[in-house]
Amino acid sequence: MTPTAIKTITPALERLARAPYYQPVADEVALFEAAAQKRLPVLLKGPTGCGKTRFVEYMAWKLGRPLVTVACHDDLTTADLVGRYLIVGEETVWLDGPLTAAVRNGAICYLDEIVEARKDTTVVIHPLADTRRALLVDKRGELIQAPDEFMLVISYNPGYQSVLKEIKPSTRQRFVALEFDYPEPELEARIVANEGGVDLEMAKKLVKLGELTRNLKGAGLDEGASTRLLVHAAQLIGAGMAPSAACIAAVARALSDDPDMNETLDDLVRAVF
Amino acid sequence: MFEHELEEKLDALLFASPSHRSIERLAGLLAPLPRRHQELVLHWAGVAAQTYAEIGYLIATLAPQVLTRLDEQDFAAWVIAGLDAYDKEGLRPAMETLRDLEGFIAVKEGRAFVRFAEIEPRLTRFVQGLAGRPLALKAGAYPWTDTETIYLPERLALGRSAEENRRLYQALAVLLWAQTHYGTFAIDLEAELARWPEREQALTWLAQLETVRLSACVERALPGLGRLLAEARGAWPAELAAALPELQAPDATVATSLRWLDHFMSAGAVPPAPSLHPRLDPATAWRVRNERIAREIATLRQALAALKSAAGGRAAAEESFTARRDDETGTVEILLAGEAVKLPDAAQAALHSLVLDLGALPPEALTPAGEGAWTPSEARGPGPQGVSERKADAYYDEWDYQRNAYRRGWCHVYEMPVKPGDGAFVRETRRRYAAFIAQLKRRFEAVRGEDRILGRQPEGEEIDLDALVEAVNDRKSGAEPSPRLFCRRMRNDRSLAAMFMVDMSGSTKGWVNDAEREALVMLCEALEALGDAYAIYGFSGWTRTRCDIYRIKGFDDRYDDAVRAAIDGIEAKDYTRMGVAIRHLTQLLAAQAARHKLLVMLSDGRPDDFGDEYRGTYGIEDTRRALLEARRQGIRSYCVTIDRHGQDYLKHMMGPAAFTVLDDVKKLPLKLADIYRRLTV
Ligand SMILES: Nc1ncnc2c1ncn2[C@@H]1O[C@H](COP(=O)(O)OP(=O)(O)OP(=O)(O)O)[C@@H](O)[C@H]1O
Ligand SMILES: [Mg+2]
């Protein structure tokens, strides 16, 4: 059987209709645009919930390209990314995986939390991430040359402590790395106000709480509250919850299961309101 | 009874007493008591000694003083309270309960009080959250701070209920944190106070005025705490009324308080005596603050020097560093050639702390450290001593940060077995934690996951022949064939070797050592379920020529009775020369074939050795270096420490490694296995 003899299904990809809300923090937008122009792949580093996914969505919209996002996990196989044969009744068909679909469509492919993927899976992106810019679909014996619009973006949270989950130097050194962190208080308050639908005054208090919990990183907490958690708290407040109840549910309990730590987090919530 | 008679009786009662001399001393202590009291003491000391000789001994020692405060009936109750504490919590808490006579009396009188020890862990974490830089909590005679440690009274009984007293503790801690955060010590107060002959009075006034100013600062930033402070103190004393508006204004500083101090003192006014009342020790705070500033400037300059040399011959190397302050947020950034530089964590923390202390960066902090520049002046120790007869098993280089070079073959390592214990401790631990261990095992088994092949999958790497044959047959016979024709391999690729390095230094004696041993027992049980390769070694030493490494479980040893006896036999020995231990164990770990290698250190404090040589910066820098070397060999390290006051140096020392600080030793046994699991899932 040659690839052409078999029916191939390539999912069609859409562009984002509306601009996602994204608040630039430093020069990441310009850097990303430059990388896109020079067809370089990009690595986004940063703690959880600091806006990496949102940034990629925004950039995809700004560059007018479709976006394919894959959340990586430890059972993710090469076939999950590249595609596979399916037997449908009498017929064998080939279904393009998200990566292949992105390459064919000239989309941005975002592999979220790349370290979660199995090592042998990560290697398929290597030829796409250097000057070859090609994807080998070995089951079909097909080599797809990526169009100029195709762009590979991966993300990685360096706060991860697991020894089993380190990004290999041979992978990492193919990428332009953009470092993310929680934004400055002013900016973060603006984001929380905008996303969470609360006034700036309330947003500032939430950001203050975020700062206090981040001070506990390494002293009982693996991570402080992310922007995402603060947005969640704001949304609960917007829905009519009392601020401290909202923060205890959306921030304190989300950060820790340890009863002692929870006590402290509750103390901090009460300190802010 | 006469002394010799008492001596005999005590000797018989306290069979395991430390020495005869101590019995003599004790008899001398009891001799002046009336006979009735002597008999009472002998009786209860005897009863207690049945449970634990040391408790009996302590009771007899404290008795003369206790009997001045308690009648005979209460004396008995006091002993029973101590024995209860022993049954429930162990030896140390029992001794503490007995020593805390004031606490016993407060309970007896039905006063609601809270002890510092009860609120310490929670309050420590809380203050850490507020401060964002290390600020320790300790018990002291009265509430004050030297800017690095907050001292709080042993016990508070001001409030009507325990909850109220807890809030008073919190309020005091907040005010003292505010002193360090809102610039109470930004001026040399000692110099200002020198003007007033009635020093105590001036100090009290100043503390009062600052409390007003700081309460307003706290209120603005953290309204919840503002309310807490207001409830704790009630209304401001009338004497302060005139000063309130100015002190509470957003632009008030310690200078405002000093102006009002001047006003009140010149008028000869007597300061009010409110209930909630932190005190000031300006001289100590000023010294501690200046030492910290010097230290942090040094850290920053060293980081800048490293950045400079990384910039190499590029143009940036010619430029100098500048600082930029964001007036809205008050944060300061360091720029090189107009671009913000990213500082290492330790330097970033130093920068943050300097800005807190000084409001801005002093210019000298921006000149990179270099030749002939500032180096920390620390007394250097004497030469090597205590040479052993046996030839060392290995020699290791040690990093001397002052020379910026290694001292070759400096440390002599002796590998040796642990003197095995009788196994009772391990048996007891396994019994006591049986339920927890079972739960741990289940959790670890879930992580393990076997390498297995799943058949009849809708997709997969391989064709499932059985399924295919069936499908072909189905089709021939006209039935609908199943599309599940593939096998899929689920891989278990944990190729991991872990080395546990256990602190056996003298400071671990008692609680820490017990906790370490318990933790190791649970860890072994859990790791057996997981199947990772692991080894456990202890370390301790006495100068560079006696660095002892104790083998508790090698990678090839099975977890059997011999290993359990070794765990049982782990005991507190001498000093903590960490660098060499890391280097030796790194060697052992590097020889393992596993793909991932992890070094986990258990310790209760900073590196230290006999003499001054290894103490302080030298040991911290050497340990840091050893960890970097390990990292270069592909070994990840992680430190679990019980040094609650360790936040300051840990960040720097652990450099490439990560760490966690346990605020309570008792948590170690329950946490260690879990920490390991998190590190390796
Ligand atoms: N700069 C920003 N502009 C707008 N929204 C932001 C920004 N940063 C964070 N957010 C908010 O935070 C939320 C979480 O961000 P996002 O999902 O992008 O995090 P992430 O970095 O991808 O996290 P993870 O690593 O957990 O996937 C977003 O939904 C958005 O509400
Ligand atoms: Mg994301």
Side-chain angles (χ1 to χ4, degrees):
Chain A
M1 277 191 290
T2 63
T4 43
I6 289 172
K7 193 170 150 200
T8 300
I9 304 173
T10 301
L13 302 178
E14 310 260 318
R15 284 178 178 69
L16 285 166
R18 258 184 306 133
Y21 166 70
Y22 181 74
Q23 170 69 55
V25 175
D27 51 0
E28 72 275 17
V29 173
L31 274 171
F32 194 98
E33 278 176 329
Q37 195 198 345
K38 292 293 173 195
R39 303 190 308 266
L40 297 173
V42 168
L43 160 69
L44 308 179
K45 286 203 277 188
T48 179
C50 68
K52 300 186 293 292
T53 301
R54 182 58 67 86
F55 171 64
V56 180
E57 286 167 0
Y58 173 75
M59 291 312 299
W61 173 82
K62 195 151 195 275
L63 296 170
R65 301 183 194 172
L67 174 65
V68 177
T69 301
V70 182
C72 300
H73 53 84
D74 52 3
D75 268 348
L76 189 82
T77 60
T78 313
D80 291 333
L81 282 179
V82 174
R84 58 172 52 99
Y85 287 112
L86 294 181
I87 300 172
V88 182
E90 292 283 300
E91 205 186 358
T92 306
V93 296
W94 169 265
L95 176 66
D96 274 342
L99 181 60
T100 312
V103 172
R104 289 199 212 274
N105 283 284
I108 295 178
C109 183
Y110 178 41
L111 303 178
D112 204 353
E113 288 298 352
I114 187 79
V115 285
E116 295 285 348
R118 291 162 37 156
K119 299 265 153 44
D120 52 331
T121 308
T122 10
V123 241
V124 302
I125 65 171
H126 280 190
L128 270 176
D130 53 35
T131 48
R132 289 173 279 175
R133 288 178 59 81
L135 176 65
L136 177 66
V137 186
D138 59 353
K139 284 206 184 127
R140 285 162 62 86
E142 189 183 1
L143 188 72
I144 312 174
Q145 197 60 47
D148 285 355
E149 292 75 31
F150 170 77
M151 185 171 184
L152 187 61
V153 181
I154 63 177
S155 80
Y156 161 62
N157 178 352
Y160 250 156
Q161 291 170 343
S162 176
V163 260
L164 299 180
K165 286 184 184 145
E166 287 227 288
I167 193 162
K168 278 198 306 190
S170 61
T171 303
R172 132 189 251 142
Q173 292 205 5
R174 290 178 146 79
F175 290 81
V176 174
L178 301 188
E179 185 148 13
F180 282 68
D181 205 344
Y182 304 122
E184 293 288 298
E186 274 309 293
L187 269 187
E188 194 170 25
R190 234 181 291 158
I191 295 169
V192 172
N194 200 309
E195 285 281 292
V198 293
D199 60 27
L200 201 58
E201 196 61 21
M202 179 55 75
K204 278 189 180 154
K205 288 187 180 174
L206 292 169
V207 168
K208 182 86 200 170
L209 176 64
E211 276 174 51
L212 299 185
T213 63
R214 288 166 204 167
N215 285 339
L216 286 170
K217 184 172 169 181
L221 284 185
D222 295 333
E223 300 259 7
S226 62
T227 310
R228 174 187 298 127
L229 289 189
L230 303 181
V231 167
H232 289 175
Q235 287 170 338
L236 293 183
I237 294 169
M241 291 297 296
S244 45
C247 287
I248 286 176
V251 180
R253 292 300 173 274
L255 283 177
S256 168
D257 294 324
D258 179 70
D260 293 346
M261 190 36 101
N262 276 334
E263 233 172 41
T264 300
L265 290 169
D266 293 356
D267 285 345
L268 292 175
V269 169
R270 277 192 293 270
V272 171
F273 295 104
Chain B
M1 274 179 268
F2 293 111
E3 253 187 78
H4 63 90
E5 205 178 329
L6 273 168
E7 231 177 272
E8 243 166 62
K9 294 209 162 153
L10 283 168
D11 228 2
L13 287 175
L14 309 174
F15 35 88
S17 60
S19 72
H20 190 72
R21 265 198 54 220
S22 58
I23 292 287
E24 264 174 39
R25 213 172 31 230
L26 197 52
L29 222 56
L30 298 179
L33 295 182
R35 174 138 195 145
R36 215 162 31 98
H37 279 178
Q38 286 175 339
E39 268 160 13
L40 184 74
V41 174
L42 285 177
H43 169 73
W44 284 111
V47 169
Q50 298 289 324
T51 304
Y52 209 106
E54 250 178 288
I55 300 183
Y57 183 80
L58 181 71
I59 286 173
T61 321
L62 297 174
Q65 185 209 340
V66 171
L67 282 166
T68 62
R69 306 282 306 275
L70 301 181
D71 63 19
E72 284 156 40
Q73 207 177 343
D74 287 337
F75 182 84
W78 168 73
V79 173
I80 305 267
L83 292 177
D84 273 352
Y86 176 80
D87 291 343
K88 276 199 221 98
E89 296 169 79
L91 183 59
R92 261 269 286 275
M95 310 277 260
E96 271 161 22
T97 305
L98 288 168
R99 287 204 183 92
D100 184 17
L101 180 60
E102 292 307 320
F104 177 81
I105 294 173
V107 173
K108 183 174 70 85
E109 293 175 353
R111 273 186 285 146
F113 72 96
V114 171
R115 259 185 283 162
F116 173 73
E118 292 169 41
I119 50 93
E120 184 197 4
R122 175 170 176 181
L123 212 47
T124 301
R125 284 189 302 267
F126 179 71
V127 168
Q128 172 80 26
L130 288 182
R133 66 172 170 178
L135 194 55
L137 257 57
K138 282 197 186 134
Y142 48 86
W144 71 287
T145 180
D146 64 7
T147 74
E148 275 176 18
T149 302
I150 287 179
Y151 295 88
L152 293 171
E154 195 75 63
R155 153 177 340 94
L156 271 183
L158 277 173
R160 280 183 305 273
S161 65
E163 180 52 31
E164 208 171 298
N165 283 316
R166 248 189 295 281
R167 282 208 294 271
L168 286 177
Y169 260 124
Q170 196 187 6
L172 281 174
V174 167
L175 281 175
L176 291 166
W177 158 74
Q179 286 185 357
T180 71
H181 192 82
Y182 295 108
T184 296
F185 303 105
I187 302 184
D188 184 0
L189 295 177
E190 203 54 42
E192 303 285 331
L193 288 163
R195 299 171 44 209
W196 309 106
E198 309 87 345
R199 187 189 150 82
E200 270 314 305
Q201 190 150 334
L203 258 183
T204 313
W205 267 118
L206 186 57
Q208 285 298 310
L209 295 164
E210 276 295 278
T211 299
V212 175
R213 179 178 76 85
L214 298 174
S215 301
C217 294
V218 171
E219 161 88 58
R220 275 190 297 276
L222 299 159
L225 288 185
R227 274 200 311 283
L228 173 87
L229 292 182
E231 275 165 31
R233 70 168 178 255
W236 292 116
E239 295 94 317
L240 290 168
L244 292 181
E246 268 185 44
L247 288 172
Q248 290 170 336
D251 58 353
T253 64
V254 66
T256 319
S257 295
L258 286 170
R259 261 203 321 280
W260 281 96
L261 173 68
D262 197 69
H263 170 90
F264 287 120
M265 288 298 287
S266 315
V270 179
S275 50
L276 200 65
H277 176 37
R279 296 212 216 157
L280 295 172
D281 180 347
T284 312
W286 185 248
R287 179 177 51 75
V288 170
R289 165 188 180 271
N290 289 339
E291 282 166 8
R292 176 177 57 246
I293 290 173
R295 211 168 51 230
E296 272 153 4
I297 289 180
T299 305
L300 194 55
R301 293 182 56 195
Q302 261 159 20
L304 295 184
L307 281 173
K308 258 269 151 89
S309 64
R314 281 189 285 121
E318 306 301 309
E319 298 268 344
S320 52
F321 290 98
T322 52
R324 180 171 64 195
R325 187 190 161 89
D326 179 335
D327 281 328
E328 261 179 54
T329 60
T331 49
V332 172
E333 272 183 328
I334 293 188
L335 311 175
L336 182 60
E339 277 192 44
V341 295
K342 174 131 179 57
L343 294 169
D345 284 352
Q348 186 62 43
L351 172 66
H352 173 71
S353 175
L354 279 170
V355 172
L356 268 182
D357 277 330
L358 299 168
L361 265 197
E364 71 265 30
L366 288 170
T367 48
E371 297 285 345
W374 187 93
T375 41
S377 57
E378 265 184 48
R380 304 302 307 271
Q385 36 185 290
V387 182
S388 142
E389 308 84 58
R390 187 179 129 196
K391 203 169 151 342
D393 294 316
Y395 298 87
Y396 288 95
D397 299 348
E398 187 166 273
W399 178 252
D400 182 339
Y401 78 106
Q402 277 169 323
R403 295 187 194 171
N404 209 27
Y406 283 100
R407 298 172 134 180
R408 297 292 167 196
W410 192 243
C411 297
H412 307 194
V413 163
Y414 295 83
E415 222 187 86
M416 48 183 97
V418 182
K419 197 167 117 248
D422 60 8
F425 183 88
V426 173
R427 267 196 305 280
E428 169 62 15
T429 304
R430 288 171 84 188
R431 192 187 59 73
R432 190 140 44 99
Y433 290 103
F436 182 72
I437 289 176
Q439 190 192 340
L440 259 185
K441 279 189 169 159
R442 272 198 302 281
R443 256 187 285 162
F444 275 71
E445 269 155 11
V447 174
R448 174 188 192 146
E450 286 296 333
D451 207 348
R452 59 191 191 274
I453 294 176
L454 303 177
R456 297 182 193 280
Q457 298 293 303
E459 82 237 5
E461 295 96 344
E462 231 84 45
I463 288 180
D464 184 347
L465 273 180
D466 291 342
L468 185 65
V469 169
E470 256 177 49
V472 170
N473 284 334
D474 281 347
R475 219 160 88 187
K476 282 201 182 128
S477 62
E480 169 84 348
S482 159
R484 301 175 147 265
L485 301 177
F486 299 90
C487 338
R488 184 172 172 150
R489 179 181 289 275
M490 299 283 294
R491 213 150 14 120
N492 170 23
D493 48 6
R494 287 181 73 83
S495 168
L496 185 88
M499 166 69 80
F500 292 86
M501 170 171 147
V502 183
D503 188 343
M504 286 170 59
S505 64
S507 58
T508 62
K509 196 174 168 81
W511 284 89
V512 178
N513 176 269
D514 286 352
E516 281 181 348
R517 289 189 295 162
E518 285 182 1
L520 289 176
V521 174
M522 309 237 220
L523 183 78
C524 289
E525 298 282 343
L527 285 180
E528 290 297 317
L530 196 55
D532 289 349
Y534 68 105
I536 303 171
Y537 284 78
F539 73 103
S540 165
W542 183 271
T543 77
R544 68 179 184 89
T545 55
R546 270 313 297 267
C547 306
D548 297 341
I549 302 282
Y550 296 89
R551 170 179 169 141
I552 296 154
K553 177 188 175 301
F555 280 108
D556 299 330
D557 296 335
R558 302 224 342 245
Y559 175 57
D560 54 13
D561 284 343
V563 167
R564 283 190 279 268
I567 293 179
D568 206 314
I570 296 176
E571 54 180 349
K573 302 227 177 222
D574 310 309
Y575 286 91
T576 331
R577 205 173 189 107
M578 268 185 195
V580 58
I582 294 172
R583 290 188 181 96
H584 185 65
L585 298 184
T586 297
Q587 259 5 73
L588 298 181
L589 187 52
Q592 290 295 304
R595 188 138 46 96
H596 304 285
K597 290 163 198 164
L598 176 65
L599 172 70
V600 180
M601 293 176 276
L602 287 188
S603 129
D604 80 329
R606 60 184 76 211
D608 190 13
D609 200 352
F610 180 78
D612 287 336
E613 181 183 67
Y614 206 74
R615 193 159 298 165
T617 312
Y618 183 99
I620 289 175
E621 292 297 331
D622 176 52
T623 304
R624 177 182 160 82
R625 195 78 184 189
L627 288 170
L628 281 168
E629 293 159 23
R631 175 86 239 210
R632 242 177 273 131
Q633 301 191 50
I635 291 171
R636 286 270 305 253
S637 9
Y638 195 87
C639 180
V640 180
T641 173
I642 326 175
D643 182 2
R644 230 176 318 125
H645 311 303
Q647 297 275 344
D648 52 341
Y649 69 91
L650 271 173
K651 254 208 180 116
H652 176 66
M653 183 173 92
M654 299 309 294
F659 63 90
T660 199
V661 180
L662 292 185
D663 54 13
D664 185 355
V665 216
K666 283 185 237 140
K667 285 191 185 155
L668 182 67
L670 301 181
K671 286 260 165 96
L672 181 62
D674 252 351
I675 289 173
Y676 178 80
R677 191 170 59 107
R678 258 195 307 127
L679 283 171
T680 63
V681 287

